Amino acid sequence: MMFKKHVLPMALVLSLSLAACGSNTPAVIKPSAGTVNGYTIDVSKKDTVKFNVSALDGTGKVILDGKIDSFSVQVQEIKNNPADTTLNDVTVTTNICGQYTSAGGPITCALVLDASGSMDSTDPDKKRNEAAKLFVSRISSKDQVAVANFGSDSKPPYDDLNVYQEFTSDKTLLDKAIDDATLADGGTPLWEATTESVDLLSKASGNNKIALVLTDGNANSATALDGAIAAAQKANVKLFMVGLAANSIDEADMQKAAQMTSGLYSKVSDAASLNDLFNKAFNQSQAFGCLQVVFKLKGAVPAAGTEIKGTLTINMNGGQFVAPFAVTFL
């Protein structure tokens, strides 16, 4: 008996092979929106700003994978510059300083709220409470969050940190702890409490460890800054420093802490905007890219206190998103 040999057309064989090879390839998601989560300014090159950006899909979720192809900058406003400057006096040089990447899986986060006495005046409506709960509302069952504050009475084993809830993904427990931690009584041991929050994180599991620290004022002691940074580096903890700048804050120190630990720095001038910052902090905890912009005003470094506002237009994954930014130069 003779058997016939069946031969598939070459084009069909090729298409089937390509389909098989691509079956495990993740779909490329085009961004529908995005955020500038924060920024840092190079301490030695004070015209050089590094922006942290995250891309969002059509449902508002952070896109975890992708490639930034290019971006552009549009400056829309210059404020508080001592010289007479216009938008035409601004020149920018751009560079992608870190390609878009996942932050490293489920988060382990110490959520640390300022409970110093000045919070009564800078946040009388307790907007920090609402912002912290918004952050918690976005975590998954795989994430772990602890809640603490500083400025009020501390609890052993810490001298400056008061832990109200150990690491959990239970949002009911976390929301209650946030209520308990929303106080205004005492000083601002910012860096001591940050160091202790790193110690708390060092004892927890997970690879994506974050200390999300909110403050509204100057630290009691700037000498503790380097110790906090060294502890975070050793424990592989990213410092997310959030400033409520209704009062004077240690902006340069907070930026340094973020920059040296691959973390995040952001600020607002009024408590009503804290929701936006905590929302962006969560975006940063999922995935982000780094975009560098060198700003010149009439060919020179912008004077300290100068604020430049504008937008970044980012081309990524075959799509595009526009995100506003605001930078205050040191």
Side-chain angles (χ1 to χ4, degrees):
M1 181 180 292
M2 296 183 63
F3 295 92
K4 291 184 179 180
K5 195 174 192 180
H6 296 280
V7 179
L8 290 173
M10 182 60 69
L12 180 57
V13 172
L14 180 60
S15 65
L16 289 173
S17 299
L18 290 174
C21 290
S23 60
N24 295 321
T25 303
V28 175
I29 302 174
K30 292 184 179 181
S32 295
T35 55
V36 173
N37 305 322
Y39 68 90
T40 55
I41 296 175
D42 192 308
V43 293
S44 61
K45 299 178 181 178
K46 294 187 177 181
D47 54 5
T48 303
V49 182
K50 292 183 178 179
F51 294 102
N52 300 299
V53 299
S54 295
L56 309 177
D57 65 16
T59 68
K61 291 184 178 179
V62 179
I63 296 172
L64 299 180
D65 298 294
K67 180 183 178 183
I68 298 173
D69 295 311
S70 62
F71 75 100
S72 60
V73 183
Q74 182 178 10
V75 175
Q76 298 168 335
E77 185 179 6
I78 305 169
K79 295 173 60 178
N80 304 323
N81 187 267
D84 184 17
T85 53
T86 69
L87 296 181
N88 291 330
D89 295 321
V90 182
T91 57
V92 299
T93 306
T94 62
N95 180 51
I96 299 172
C97 47
Q99 192 48 258
Y100 197 85
T101 184
S102 168
I107 61 172
T108 304
C109 175
L111 184 56
V112 183
L113 302 177
D114 190 336
S116 60
S118 59
M119 294 299 289
D120 258 344
S121 59
T122 58
D123 184 20
D125 298 323
K126 298 183 178 180
K127 293 295 184 180
R128 63 194 181 279
N129 182 288
E130 181 182 320
K133 289 180 178 178
L134 174 62
F135 183 93
V136 165
S137 73
R138 294 186 66 187
I139 70 170
S140 74
S141 59
K142 296 181 180 179
D143 298 320
Q144 298 285 310
V145 177
V147 176
N149 71 12
F150 62 89
S152 62
D153 292 335
S154 62
K155 289 182 180 179
Y158 298 117
D159 294 327
D160 296 288
L161 193 71
N162 192 342
V163 180
Y164 288 82
Q165 175 59 55
E166 295 285 349
F167 293 101
T168 182
S169 59
D170 188 320
K171 297 178 184 180
T172 301
L173 292 177
L174 290 168
D175 284 351
K176 182 183 184 304
I178 290 168
D179 287 338
D180 293 340
T182 307
L183 302 173
D185 179 26
T188 310
L190 172 61
W191 300 118
E192 294 88 347
T194 298
T195 301
E196 291 173 350
S197 70
V198 169
D199 179 75
L200 181 68
L201 282 158
S202 70
K203 299 169 183 175
S205 60
N207 297 317
N208 187 8
K209 294 184 177 182
I210 298 159
L212 175 53
V213 184
L214 166 69
T215 187
D216 78 330
N218 298 112
N220 289 350
S221 172
T223 59
L225 167 65
D226 289 339
I229 292 172
Q233 290 173 332
K234 182 178 180 180
N236 197 26
V237 171
K238 300 171 187 173
L239 298 181
F240 282 20
M241 308 303 301
V242 176
L244 176 53
N247 290 332
S248 175
I249 60 173
D250 298 313
E251 192 161 2
D253 288 349
M254 293 171 72
Q255 286 198 43
K256 180 180 178 181
Q259 189 173 24
M260 297 292 287
T261 62
S262 300
L264 176 74
Y265 168 75
S266 56
K267 71 168 185 175
V268 288
S269 58
D270 63 282
S273 299
L274 284 174
N275 274 3
D276 185 50
L277 288 199
F278 276 67
N279 201 40
K280 290 174 178 177
F282 185 85
N283 292 347
Q284 180 82 5
S285 77
Q286 303 300 294
F288 63 96
C290 175
L291 305 179
Q292 179 177 290
V293 183
V294 178
F295 291 92
K296 297 286 189 183
L297 275 177
K298 294 184 175 180
V301 176
T306 301
E307 184 176 19
I308 293 181
K309 295 183 177 181
T311 58
L312 302 179
T313 300
I314 297 131
N315 298 304
M316 174 181 161
N317 289 6
Q320 185 182 87
F321 66 92
V322 179
F325 72 84
V327 176
T328 302
F329 290 85
L330 301 175

